[in-house]
Amino acid sequence: MKVLIVDDNRLILEACRRALEPEGYEVVTATDAERALTMVRGEAVGLVLADVRMPGRNGIWLIREIARMRPGLPVVAISGFPAPEGGAGLPLRGLAGFLAKPFTPTELVATVRGVAKEVPNATAASPGDR
Amino acid sequence: LLSSTRAKLVASFLGVSLLGGTVALLVGGQLLYRALLREASNRVSLDLNAAREIYQSRLRRLTVVLNAAVLNDALDTALARRDLPPLVERLERLARYGRLDFAGLAAADGRTLCRIGPAPASPLSPPVDNPLVTLALERRSAVSGTVLLDRAFLQAENPELAERARIQLIDTPMAAPRRGTEETAGMALGAAVPLVDGERLLGVLYGGVLLNRSRETVDSIREAVFQDEVYEGRNLGTATLFLGDVRIATNVMTPAGTRAIGTRVSRQVGQRVLGEGARWSDRAFVVSDWYITAYEPIYDIRAQRVGMLYVGVLEAKYAQVRRRALGAFVAVTLAGMALAAGLGYALAARVLRPIQRLVQASTEVSRGDLSVRLEPHTRGEIGVLERTFADMLSALRERERRQRLEHELELARSEKQASVGRLAAGVAHEINNPLTGVLMFTHMLLRREDLGADVRADLETIARETDRVRRIVKGLLDFARETPIATEPTAVNEWVASILALLQGQAQARRVGLRSSLAENLPTVELDRTQLQSVLMNLLLNALDATDPGADILVTTELSAKPGPAGVSGVEIAVVDRGRGIPADDLARVFDPFFTTKEVGQGTGLGLAVSLGIVEKHGGTIRAESQVGIGSTFTVWLPGTGGEQPP
């Protein structure tokens, strides 16, 4: 499964990639929301992990856009602010989970695994799969 | 308060002064009037003496005139010779000089020899009774005084006199009843002097003045005694001569304005003066008015009471004086009442001012203004009241000061918390990113199999300490959160389930089961999802911390009435763990800020305090139940808004 991770902090992206790839996930990354949206549109992404606070378009915008464009594509919000700041204004529709920074690899993998398990293959299939 | 009490006080002052004034008016006025009347009566009594003197002087002049005439020898000679014409001539001169109404000479046997007037004496004319001559002959000496003359005598002397003497009686109020309609007798001042030649009586000279309808006597009395004083167009003083009880000469006027000749004295006075011969000195009804009067009897030459002499002044004048006096009394009373009212008003103000001040002060205090200054200036009970009030005020002020101080401390604390929180929030985001890196890479290193035991131990230390940093930052962020709630109608079960879903991953990582038991038909609840989400997450994370791997956490929702105000229904959300439990002593303090049972660095002690604040802002409650070794239950109660949520 292809997991898209969106964060303006490259250290976070690298850490997540290092944690998820050994678990068998294909990881793609983006450092801003608009680029992430382009990737969602172009690649067969099965899951998105998105930081809420980012320069430019933020994670909330991204989650909404994904919910509009690819309903059913699970998105997990990541935030340095635990709820509620992290979750403030989070659209619950399309939000599959929440991960508070900082997190351990175990928590990350468990969250991703839990979300991925609930997603049916049909909806997880991206346009690129066909 | 002031106006009503003042009105009462003024009214009682008025009452007292009115009572006093009225009593003074009645008693004083009456006493004064009596004194006045007595004084007037005394004066009139003196006036009567003066009147009598005038009456007597008239008589004396008459007597002198006749006696002087007798001294003339020519009269004797002519009489002796019965030489009548010169005698008549002499008599006429005498009458003119002495202003006599009648005059004549009688023989020694009493028969009239000659007289003045139109009817000369004749030996043929029938003899008439001449009371003056008769008495003079009886006594063989001169006589003078008041004398009653009958109609026959007057007719004989001069028919004009008889006519003048005739008086029609006029019905008079309050007079004694009397028969007949006219008085024909005349009352006169007269004198008779015997003419004597040695021992031989030659005759008697007589003469007099008819008083009937005579103005001279009464008017000269009025003039001399009362100076013709006029009161309201009428003569103030009056004088009257009575023949019996009939006015024959008077200047008392009838209401028609004529002299009241022919009217009669009141029965009471007549009885007293004519009947008993006493003086009358009192008020009396004269013709048509009340007068202050004096009467005395007139005695004739034979010492018979034949008439009365009267003087009197109009009582109306004294009544006027009385009215003026009463007016003055009334004025004084009214002035006194005005003064009393003013005094009462001023006194009321003076007495009530402190009470008014107290009332005002309590009003201001009840409005919450404790800055009222109340200086006790009054003595007595009101002073005590004022001091008590002032004490109460200062106690209230002290209490308010303490409360304000506490509030200020509270405010300072929360401001401090807020600024710490803003700082923490700013820092936290910056810290959390690098912290994520540290945590991730440390844990990933720890997964490697090829680590030496000492390296692994060091890495584990790094991981543990990093985790501690994570908790500290989280606590700071929770504490910083102090935002007003923004509620929206929320279906509780759905909302709870979504939160549980968010934490499912973290629970699974710790191998803790997250189960739920959600009641159906719950009402929609107005809540701030964002803030209550952190509350529920805080409770869940606490439960996760307390729960050993392998155990379950149960989240339940149910319809519940608040344990407090009855009838208010709401929703209870309970988080039940089978963890270590909280000792009773600590349980009472779990909602206190900065209270924590976790080891130093593991918790900030703010989570539950913040949660409680948020729930209370929703009008809800959180209660904690726990038993050591069995587990804890945290129950959030939120008031419902009625609408049932579909199952």
Side-chain angles (χ1 to χ4, degrees):
Chain A
M1 178 185 268
K2 189 181 277 186
V3 177
L4 171 62
I5 305 171
V6 191
D7 201 315
D8 58 323
N9 191 318
R10 292 182 186 281
L11 181 70
I12 304 288
L13 295 178
E14 189 54 29
C16 289
R17 179 199 299 280
R18 292 272 296 275
L20 288 175
E21 277 178 352
E23 299 296 324
Y25 294 99
E26 184 187 345
V27 174
V28 290
T29 61
T31 51
D32 64 75
E34 289 180 12
R35 200 167 298 159
L37 198 60
T38 312
M39 293 174 74
V40 167
R41 212 177 275 131
E43 298 186 34
V45 176
L47 178 72
V48 180
L49 292 173
D51 189 21
V52 175
R53 285 207 175 179
M54 286 182 292
R57 302 283 195 186
N58 64 14
I60 294 166
W61 176 83
L62 179 61
I63 293 164
R64 279 216 193 88
E65 286 300 305
I66 292 171
R68 206 158 55 78
M69 204 167 67
R70 292 264 318 264
L73 175 63
V75 181
V76 173
I78 313 170
S79 178
F81 291 99
E85 273 86 350
L90 279 186
L92 282 170
R93 200 164 82 85
L95 190 63
F98 181 82
L99 196 59
K101 284 182 187 172
F103 44 82
T104 63
T106 317
E107 286 168 358
L108 173 65
V109 171
T111 301
V112 168
R113 194 174 285 154
V115 170
K117 193 166 62 190
E118 288 172 15
V119 180
N121 287 335
T123 46
S126 70
D129 286 339
R130 284 180 213 139
Chain B
L1 168 81
L2 182 59
S3 55
S4 77
T5 314
R6 178 178 280 163
K8 281 179 203 153
L9 209 64
V10 168
S12 31
F13 266 70
L14 279 183
V16 168
S17 56
L18 184 63
L19 195 69
T22 309
V23 167
L25 199 68
L26 293 177
V27 174
Q30 209 56 37
L31 285 179
L32 188 79
Y33 188 54
R34 289 227 183 109
L36 194 69
L37 281 186
R38 203 158 46 239
E39 192 52 44
S41 206
N42 287 342
R43 194 194 132 186
V44 170
S45 206
L46 290 175
D47 290 345
L48 183 64
N49 292 344
R52 180 165 67 254
E53 203 47 49
I54 289 168
Y55 185 83
Q56 296 290 356
S57 74
R58 184 85 183 84
L59 180 62
R60 267 196 302 278
R61 199 176 77 191
L62 180 75
T63 312
V64 166
V65 166
L66 288 185
N67 276 303
V70 169
L71 296 178
N72 194 329
D73 287 346
L75 195 64
D76 294 0
T77 317
L79 182 63
R81 283 204 302 248
R82 293 290 193 266
D83 186 4
L84 296 180
L87 279 178
V88 170
E89 193 186 323
R90 274 182 182 278
L91 285 175
E92 279 172 347
R93 272 213 312 272
L94 185 68
R96 274 199 304 277
Y97 172 71
R99 282 187 284 158
L100 304 177
D101 286 328
F102 60 92
L105 273 170
D109 60 358
R111 279 190 307 114
T112 303
L113 290 173
C114 62
R115 58 167 71 96
I116 61 167
S122 147
L124 300 176
S125 56
V128 292
D129 179 38
N130 185 332
L132 286 165
V133 171
T134 308
L135 189 66
L137 289 176
E138 264 176 35
R139 295 195 182 158
R140 299 185 70 86
S141 69
V143 294
S144 69
T146 307
V147 64
L148 284 193
L149 302 172
D150 61 17
R151 182 171 170 76
F153 175 85
L154 290 170
Q155 191 70 41
E157 286 295 316
N158 187 342
E160 272 178 32
L161 287 181
E163 195 48 41
R164 214 180 95 192
R166 201 160 65 90
I167 288 170
Q168 291 290 325
L169 296 183
I170 297 169
D171 282 339
T172 312
M174 300 178 74
R178 172 177 166 148
R179 259 178 297 171
T181 59
E182 62 176 15
E183 175 61 65
T184 55
M187 187 166 81
L189 291 173
V193 185
L195 290 136
V196 184
D197 180 19
E199 285 298 305
R200 197 164 67 95
L201 181 67
L202 296 175
V204 179
L205 175 64
Y206 70 90
V209 179
L210 181 65
L211 293 171
N212 292 30
R213 298 187 195 277
S214 153
R215 296 183 177 188
E216 192 191 341
T217 314
V218 289
D219 286 0
S220 61
I221 292 172
R222 189 180 71 194
E223 229 169 274
V225 176
F226 302 110
Q227 282 86 41
D228 279 341
E229 203 180 328
V230 170
Y231 173 75
E232 287 184 351
R234 293 190 291 173
N235 286 308
L236 176 69
T238 53
T240 300
L241 292 172
F242 286 88
L243 168 54
D245 65 350
V246 180
R247 285 187 182 81
I248 55 165
T250 184
N251 41 37
V252 173
M253 296 293 174
T254 61
T258 58
R259 290 179 183 247
I261 292 166
T263 59
R264 290 158 56 215
V265 78
S266 72
R267 178 194 203 131
Q268 203 184 2
V269 175
Q271 225 162 34
R272 183 83 193 279
V273 179
L274 290 172
E276 300 168 20
R279 263 176 87 115
W280 174 277
S281 183
D282 202 346
R283 60 200 289 270
F285 190 78
V286 177
V287 185
S288 59
D289 277 306
W290 284 94
Y291 282 72
I292 295 163
T293 63
Y295 292 81
E296 67 177 16
I298 294 174
Y299 291 92
D300 74 354
I301 46 176
R302 289 183 185 272
Q304 298 296 307
R305 284 194 289 276
V306 292
M308 292 182 294
L309 178 62
Y310 147 93
V311 291
V313 291
L314 273 171
E315 196 185 27
K317 168 156 187 181
Y318 294 93
Q320 189 199 35
V321 171
R322 180 195 201 188
R323 272 199 307 279
R324 284 194 187 141
L326 287 183
F329 266 110
V330 168
V332 165
T333 303
L334 287 179
M337 282 170 70
L339 191 71
L343 204 65
Y345 192 83
L347 201 66
R350 193 179 147 71
V351 169
L352 294 175
R353 197 178 301 121
I355 295 177
Q356 188 71 6
R357 258 200 322 267
L358 273 173
V359 170
Q360 227 160 28
S362 10
T363 310
E364 278 167 39
V365 168
S366 70
R367 284 202 206 101
D369 178 10
L370 294 180
S371 66
V372 187
R373 288 278 156 216
L374 195 70
E375 304 300 336
H377 334 262
T378 319
R379 284 191 298 272
E381 292 85 347
I382 293 172
V384 173
L385 190 59
E386 279 178 337
R387 275 191 293 281
T388 314
F389 192 87
D391 290 350
M392 184 192 79
L393 259 186
S394 62
L396 280 174
R397 272 198 290 270
E398 174 59 22
R399 203 184 67 179
E400 202 205 36
R401 194 186 62 78
R402 272 202 310 272
Q403 280 177 348
R404 197 165 42 231
L405 202 66
E406 276 170 26
H407 281 143
E408 278 166 8
L409 286 175
E410 183 94 7
L411 195 67
R413 201 164 61 215
S414 65
E415 272 172 5
K416 199 165 121 190
Q417 285 176 357
S419 62
V420 166
R422 278 194 298 277
L423 183 66
V427 169
H429 189 248
E430 296 309 315
I431 288 178
N432 275 338
N433 276 334
L435 208 56
T436 308
V438 174
L439 208 57
M440 291 285 277
F441 288 111
T442 309
H443 278 277
M444 282 188 283
L445 279 176
L446 277 171
R447 288 180 183 175
R448 287 169 65 152
E449 309 287 334
D450 56 343
L451 294 178
D454 52 343
V455 176
R456 176 170 297 276
D458 290 350
L459 281 175
E460 276 170 356
T461 305
I462 291 170
R464 198 167 56 244
E465 294 307 305
T466 310
D467 208 46
R468 182 180 291 184
V469 173
R470 173 166 81 157
R471 286 169 195 277
I472 291 168
V473 171
K474 180 177 176 293
L476 280 173
L477 281 172
D478 285 343
F479 179 62
R481 227 172 4 249
E482 199 51 73
T483 47
I485 61 166
T487 64
E488 47 192 325
T490 303
V492 177
N493 286 346
E494 233 170 77
W495 174 73
V496 169
S498 72
I499 292 168
L500 287 177
L502 292 181
L503 289 172
Q504 206 70 44
Q506 260 169 329
Q508 278 173 11
R510 299 184 188 202
R511 294 201 295 113
V512 171
L514 213 49
R515 296 193 297 111
S516 63
S517 161
L518 308 178
E520 292 181 354
N521 303 328
L522 290 181
T524 304
V525 173
E526 284 282 338
L527 50 82
D528 183 327
R529 292 185 202 165
T530 308
Q531 295 199 36
L532 274 176
Q533 180 175 323
S534 78
V535 170
L536 196 54
M537 284 179 111
N538 184 271
L539 292 178
L540 287 165
L541 290 171
N542 282 346
L544 275 176
D545 287 343
T547 306
D548 294 325
D552 281 350
I553 293 171
L554 176 65
V555 178
T556 64
T557 61
E558 63 180 318
L559 197 63
S560 165
K562 184 179 181 177
V568 179
S569 68
V571 173
E572 276 186 350
I573 303 161
V575 177
V576 185
D577 68 56
R578 295 278 171 261
R580 294 178 287 277
I582 306 166
D585 283 355
D586 293 344
L587 191 64
R589 299 165 59 200
V590 288
F591 295 108
D592 292 351
F594 301 107
F595 173 79
T596 179
T597 55
K598 297 171 183 174
E599 61 188 79
V600 176
Q602 289 296 304
T604 57
L606 287 168
L608 282 174
V610 171
S611 296
L612 176 64
I614 291 168
V615 171
E616 282 181 343
K617 272 191 258 175
H618 284 78
T621 57
I622 303 183
R623 62 178 196 276
E625 295 147 296
S626 184
Q627 274 185 291
V628 176
I630 294 176
S632 308
T633 302
F634 283 81
T635 309
V636 176
W637 181 93
L638 294 169
T641 46
E644 286 197 351
Q645 134 186 8

